[in-house]
């Protein structure tokens, strides 16, 4: 059984972080070992959420894992609640990275051009340092901008998003996946994946749906983690993750419950173990105009 150390928060209501990652990765046949960073009443997009920061306990938690000489096939970090946690996770990477496992950092910082509540500039810096140690990172366009010190509100076309993924890979990660990038036409939204080793850029475009669900980035990063553990190629992993999110959004969009509840992923988990109906990925070997 392959094991994944999943370093992120547990939010009681509103699908996000561990309540998204555990079902997905369990469904894909992996053992998820949570290292919780905080316990929240809801994810932080609900007004008035309560948060118990677990920074101090994390060190004890990790000390125990070290005593037990645990090892993991993947280390996957997501939402972190303080700059100090980022230092702790940085040391965790040093202690638990081996020649055979990999680190995926989902640099959860913000969306739609702004940082999430509670995310401070020193946390952006802490996240940048974590990205340097990862093999794979999965920022959305807003997070990519903050990590690069770019204006997060600017218009970004495909060429620029590709440039950003290359610039991010120069920080250290071999593979940079950027979600919520623009498509070639306004009815499409694209997800890009750049591999520094072979310098290939892949794109999966899908229909833009006028809805936004928290936690879809967590679902995306979780599926990518599982696909990499399954030995999928980068574009296959990209295709599967985009397909899963797309199906999840479509399974939810027809209902009128609050978008803050996240997407109804329970209805679409089974797609994770079915073959893809078709491959949609494209190779963008030259920047698209
Ligand atoms: O979906 C990312 C995420 C994870 N964890 C918490 C969050 C968010 C996004 O808002 O608030 C607590």
């Amino acid at each position: 059984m392959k094991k994944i150390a999943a370093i992120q928060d547990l939010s009681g209501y509103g699908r996000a972080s561990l309540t998204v990652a555990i079902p997905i990765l369990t469904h894909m046949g992996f053992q998820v070992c949570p290292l919780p960073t905080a316990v929240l009443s809801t994810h932080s997009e609900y007004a008035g959420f309560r948060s118990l920061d677990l920074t101090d306990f994390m060190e004890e938690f990790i000390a125990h894992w070290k005593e037990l000489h645990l090892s993991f096939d993947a280390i996957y970090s997501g939402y972190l609640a303080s700059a100090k946690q980022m230092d702790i996770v940085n040391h965790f990477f040093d202690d638990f990275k081996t020649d055979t496992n990999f680190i995926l950092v989902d640099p959860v910082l913000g969306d739609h051009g702004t940082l999430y509540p509670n995310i401070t500039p020193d946390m952006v810096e802490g996240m940048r340092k974590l990205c340097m140690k990862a093999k794979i990172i999965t920022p959305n366009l807003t997070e990519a901008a903050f990590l690069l010190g770019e204006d997060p509100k600017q218009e970004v076309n495909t060429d620029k998003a590709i440039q950003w993924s290359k610039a991010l890979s120069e920080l250290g990660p071999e593979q940079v996946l950027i979600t919520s990038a623009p498509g070639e036409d306004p009815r499409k939204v694209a997800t890009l994946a750049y591999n520094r080793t072979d310098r290939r850029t892949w794109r999966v475009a899908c229909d833009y749906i006028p809805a936004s669900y928290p936690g879809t980035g967590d679902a995306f990063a979780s599926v990518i983690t599982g696909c990499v553990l399954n030995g999928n190629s980068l574009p296959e992993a990209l295709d599967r993750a985009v397909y899963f999110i797309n199906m999840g959004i479509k399974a939810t969009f027809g209902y009128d419950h609050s978008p803050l509840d996240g997407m109804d992923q329970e209805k679409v988990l089974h797609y994770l173990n079915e073959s893809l109906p078709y491959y949609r990925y494209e190779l963008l070997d030259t920047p698209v105009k």
Side-chain angles (χ1 to χ4, degrees), residues 8-11 14-18 20 37-40 42-46 49 51 78-81 106 108-111 116-117 119 143 213-219:
Q8 40 193 294
D9 67 279
L10 180 68
S11 289
R15 297 175 189 82
S17 40
L18 284 175
V20 166
T37 58
V39 179
L40 289 87
T42 65
H43 62 61
S44 67
E45 294 196 53
Y46 282 95
F49 70 92
S51 175
Y79 179 90
L80 302 174
D106 182 14
V108 178
L109 294 169
D111 205 356
Y116 292 129
I119 303 285
E143 291 157 348
Y213 299 100
T216 47
D218 304 322

Coordinates of all heavy atoms in Angstrom, one line a residue, residues 8-11 14-18 20 37-40 42-46 49 51 78-81 106 108-111 116-117 119 143 213-219, ligand 1:
Q8 N -2.1 19.3 5.7 CA -3.1 20.3 5.5 C -4.1 20.3 6.6 O -4.1 19.5 7.5 CB -3.8 20.2 4.1 CG -4.1 18.8 3.6 CD -4.4 18.8 2.1 OE1 -5.4 19.4 1.8 NE2 -3.7 18.1 1.3
D9 N -5.1 21.3 6.5 CA -6.0 21.4 7.6 C -7.2 20.5 7.5 O -7.5 19.9 6.4 CB -6.5 22.9 7.6 CG -7.4 23.1 6.4 OD1 -6.8 23.4 5.4 OD2 -8.6 23.0 6.5
L10 N -7.9 20.4 8.6 CA -9.2 19.7 8.6 C -10.3 20.8 8.8 O -10.3 21.4 9.9 CB -9.2 18.7 9.8 CG -10.5 17.9 9.9 CD1 -10.7 17.0 8.7 CD2 -10.5 17.1 11.2
S11 N -11.1 21.0 7.8 CA -12.2 22.0 7.9 C -13.5 21.2 8.1 O -13.8 20.4 7.2 CB -12.3 22.9 6.7 OG -11.2 23.7 6.6
G14 N -17.8 22.6 4.6 CA -17.4 23.2 3.3 C -16.2 22.3 2.8 O -15.1 22.3 3.4
R15 N -16.4 21.6 1.8 CA -15.4 20.7 1.4 C -14.1 21.4 1.0 O -14.1 22.3 0.1 CB -15.8 19.8 0.2 CG -17.0 19.0 0.5 CD -17.5 18.3 -0.8 NE -18.7 17.6 -0.8 CZ -19.9 18.2 -0.9 NH1 -20.0 19.5 -1.0 NH2 -21.0 17.5 -0.9
A16 N -13.0 21.0 1.7 CA -11.7 21.6 1.4 C -10.6 20.7 2.0 O -11.0 19.9 2.8 CB -11.6 23.0 1.9
S17 N -9.4 20.9 1.6 CA -8.2 20.3 2.2 C -8.5 18.8 2.5 O -8.8 18.0 1.6 CB -7.8 21.1 3.3 OG -8.8 21.5 4.1
L18 N -8.3 18.4 3.8 CA -8.3 16.9 4.1 C -9.6 16.2 3.7 O -9.6 15.1 3.3 CB -8.0 16.7 5.5 CG -6.5 16.8 5.9 CD1 -6.3 16.7 7.4 CD2 -5.6 15.8 5.2
V20 N -11.4 16.7 1.3 CA -11.4 16.5 -0.2 C -10.3 15.5 -0.5 O -10.5 14.5 -1.2 CB -11.1 17.8 -0.9 CG1 -10.7 17.6 -2.4 CG2 -12.3 18.7 -0.8
T37 N -2.7 20.6 10.1 CA -2.1 21.9 10.3 C -3.0 22.8 11.2 O -2.5 23.7 11.9 CB -1.7 22.6 9.0 OG1 -3.0 22.8 8.3 CG2 -0.8 21.8 8.2
A38 N -4.3 22.6 11.1 CA -5.2 23.4 11.8 C -6.6 22.7 11.8 O -6.8 21.9 10.9 CB -5.4 24.8 11.2
V39 N -7.4 22.9 12.7 CA -8.8 22.4 12.7 C -9.7 23.7 12.6 O -9.5 24.6 13.4 CB -9.1 21.6 13.9 CG1 -10.6 21.1 13.8 CG2 -8.2 20.4 14.0
L40 N -10.5 23.7 11.6 CA -11.4 24.9 11.4 C -12.8 24.5 11.5 O -13.1 23.3 11.1 CB -11.1 25.6 10.0 CG -9.8 26.3 9.8 CD1 -8.7 25.4 9.3 CD2 -10.0 27.4 8.8
T42 N -15.1 25.7 9.6 CA -15.5 25.7 8.2 C -14.2 26.1 7.5 O -13.3 26.7 8.1 CB -16.5 26.7 7.8 OG1 -16.0 28.0 8.0 CG2 -17.8 26.6 8.6
H43 N -14.1 26.0 6.1 CA -13.0 26.6 5.5 C -13.1 28.1 5.6 O -14.1 28.7 6.0 CB -12.8 26.1 4.0 CG -14.0 26.4 3.1 ND1 -14.4 27.7 2.8 CD2 -14.8 25.6 2.4 CE1 -15.4 27.7 2.0 NE2 -15.7 26.4 1.8
S44 N -12.0 28.8 5.2 CA -11.9 30.2 5.6 C -12.7 31.2 4.7 O -12.7 32.4 4.9 CB -10.5 30.6 5.6 OG -9.9 30.6 4.4
E45 N -13.5 30.6 3.8 CA -14.3 31.5 3.0 C -15.7 31.7 3.6 O -16.4 32.6 3.1 CB -14.4 31.0 1.5 CG -13.0 31.1 0.8 CD -13.0 31.0 -0.7 OE1 -13.8 31.8 -1.3 OE2 -12.3 30.1 -1.2
Y46 N -16.0 31.0 4.6 CA -17.2 31.3 5.4 C -16.9 32.4 6.4 O -15.9 32.3 7.1 CB -17.7 30.1 6.2 CG -18.4 29.0 5.3 CD1 -17.7 27.9 4.8 CD2 -19.8 29.1 5.1 CE1 -18.3 27.0 4.1 CE2 -20.4 28.2 4.3 CZ -19.7 27.1 3.8 OH -20.3 26.1 3.1
F49 N -15.5 32.1 10.5 CA -14.9 30.7 10.8 C -14.0 30.8 12.0 O -13.4 31.8 12.4 CB -14.1 30.2 9.6 CG -12.8 30.9 9.3 CD1 -11.7 30.5 9.9 CD2 -12.8 32.1 8.6 CE1 -10.5 31.2 9.6 CE2 -11.6 32.8 8.3 CZ -10.5 32.3 8.9
S51 N -10.7 28.9 14.0 CA -9.6 28.1 13.6 C -8.7 27.8 14.8 O -8.4 28.7 15.6 CB -8.8 28.9 12.6 OG -7.6 28.2 12.2
G78 N -0.7 21.2 1.5 CA -1.7 22.1 1.0 C -1.7 23.3 1.9 O -0.7 23.9 2.3
Y79 N -2.9 23.6 2.4 CA -3.2 24.8 3.2 C -2.4 24.8 4.5 O -2.5 23.8 5.3 CB -4.6 25.0 3.5 CG -5.0 26.2 4.4 CD1 -5.3 27.4 3.8 CD2 -5.1 26.1 5.8 CE1 -5.7 28.5 4.5 CE2 -5.4 27.2 6.5 CZ -5.7 28.4 5.9 OH -6.1 29.4 6.7
L80 N -1.6 25.8 4.8 CA -0.8 25.9 6.0 C -1.3 27.2 6.7 O -1.5 28.2 6.0 CB 0.7 25.9 5.7 CG 1.2 24.7 5.0 CD1 2.6 24.8 4.6 CD2 1.0 23.4 5.8
A81 N -1.3 27.2 8.0 CA -2.0 28.2 8.8 C -1.1 29.3 9.3 O -1.6 30.3 9.8 CB -2.9 27.6 9.9
D106 N 1.0 22.1 -3.0 CA -0.1 22.9 -3.5 C 0.0 24.2 -2.7 O -0.4 24.3 -1.6 CB -1.4 22.2 -3.3 CG -2.6 23.0 -3.9 OD1 -2.3 23.9 -4.7 OD2 -3.7 22.7 -3.5
V108 N -1.3 26.8 -1.5 CA -2.7 27.4 -1.2 C -2.5 28.8 -0.5 O -2.0 28.9 0.6 CB -3.5 26.5 -0.3 CG1 -4.8 27.2 0.1 CG2 -3.7 25.1 -0.9
L109 N -2.8 29.8 -1.3 CA -2.5 31.2 -0.8 C -3.7 32.1 -1.1 O -4.0 33.0 -0.3 CB -1.3 31.8 -1.5 CG 0.1 31.2 -1.2 CD1 1.1 31.7 -2.1 CD2 0.4 31.5 0.3
G110 N -4.4 31.9 -2.2 CA -5.5 32.8 -2.6 C -6.1 32.3 -3.9 O -5.8 31.3 -4.4
D111 N -7.0 33.2 -4.3 CA -7.7 32.9 -5.6 C -8.4 34.2 -6.1 O -8.5 35.2 -5.3 CB -8.8 31.8 -5.4 CG -9.1 31.1 -6.7 OD1 -8.5 31.4 -7.8 OD2 -9.9 30.1 -6.6
Y116 N -6.2 34.6 0.5 CA -7.3 34.1 1.5 C -7.1 34.9 2.8 O -6.0 35.3 3.1 CB -7.1 32.6 1.8 CG -7.5 31.8 0.6 CD1 -6.6 30.8 0.2 CD2 -8.7 31.9 -0.1 CE1 -6.9 29.9 -0.9 CE2 -9.0 31.1 -1.2 CZ -8.1 30.1 -1.6 OH -8.3 29.3 -2.7
P117 N -8.2 35.0 3.6 CA -8.0 35.7 4.9 C -6.9 34.9 5.7 O -6.8 33.7 5.5 CB -9.4 35.4 5.6 CG -10.3 35.0 4.5 CD -9.5 34.5 3.3
I119 N -3.8 34.9 5.3 CA -2.5 34.6 4.6 C -1.8 36.0 4.5 O -2.3 37.0 4.0 CB -2.8 34.1 3.2 CG1 -3.6 32.8 3.2 CG2 -1.5 33.9 2.4 CD1 -2.9 31.6 3.7
E143 N -2.1 32.4 -7.3 CA -0.9 31.9 -6.5 C 0.4 32.0 -7.2 O 1.4 32.4 -6.7 CB -1.2 30.5 -6.0 CG -2.3 30.5 -5.0 CD -3.1 29.1 -4.9 OE1 -2.9 28.2 -5.7 OE2 -3.9 29.0 -3.9
Y213 N -16.2 26.9 -6.9 CA -16.3 26.1 -5.7 C -15.0 26.0 -5.0 O -14.0 25.6 -5.6 CB -16.8 24.7 -6.1 CG -18.1 24.7 -6.8 CD1 -18.2 24.6 -8.2 CD2 -19.3 24.8 -6.1 CE1 -19.4 24.6 -8.9 CE2 -20.5 24.8 -6.7 CZ -20.6 24.7 -8.1 OH -21.8 24.7 -8.8
P214 N -15.0 26.4 -3.7 CA -13.8 26.2 -2.9 C -13.4 24.7 -2.9 O -14.3 23.9 -3.1 CB -14.2 26.7 -1.5 CG -15.5 27.4 -1.7 CD -16.1 26.9 -2.9
G215 N -12.2 24.4 -2.8 CA -11.7 23.0 -2.6 C -11.4 22.4 -4.0 O -10.9 21.3 -4.0
T216 N -11.8 23.0 -5.1 CA -11.5 22.3 -6.4 C -9.9 22.2 -6.6 O -9.5 21.3 -7.1 CB -12.1 23.0 -7.6 OG1 -11.9 24.4 -7.5 CG2 -13.6 22.8 -7.6
G217 N -9.2 23.2 -6.1 CA -7.8 23.2 -6.2 C -7.2 22.0 -5.4 O -6.3 21.4 -5.8
D218 N -7.8 21.8 -4.2 CA -7.4 20.7 -3.4 C -7.7 19.3 -4.1 O -6.9 18.4 -4.0 CB -8.1 20.7 -2.0 CG -7.9 22.0 -1.3 OD1 -6.8 22.6 -1.4 OD2 -8.9 22.5 -0.7
A219 N -8.8 19.3 -4.7 CA -9.2 18.1 -5.5 C -8.2 17.9 -6.6 O -7.7 16.7 -6.9 CB -10.6 18.2 -6.0
Ligands
LIG1 O1 -9.3 25.1 -0.7 C1 -8.2 25.6 -0.1 C2 -8.4 25.9 1.4 C3 -7.9 25.0 2.3 N1 -8.1 25.1 3.6 C4 -8.7 26.2 4.1 C5 -9.2 27.1 3.2 C6 -9.1 27.0 1.8 C7 -9.6 28.0 0.9 O2 -10.3 28.9 1.2 O3 -9.9 28.2 3.7 C8 -8.9 26.3 5.5

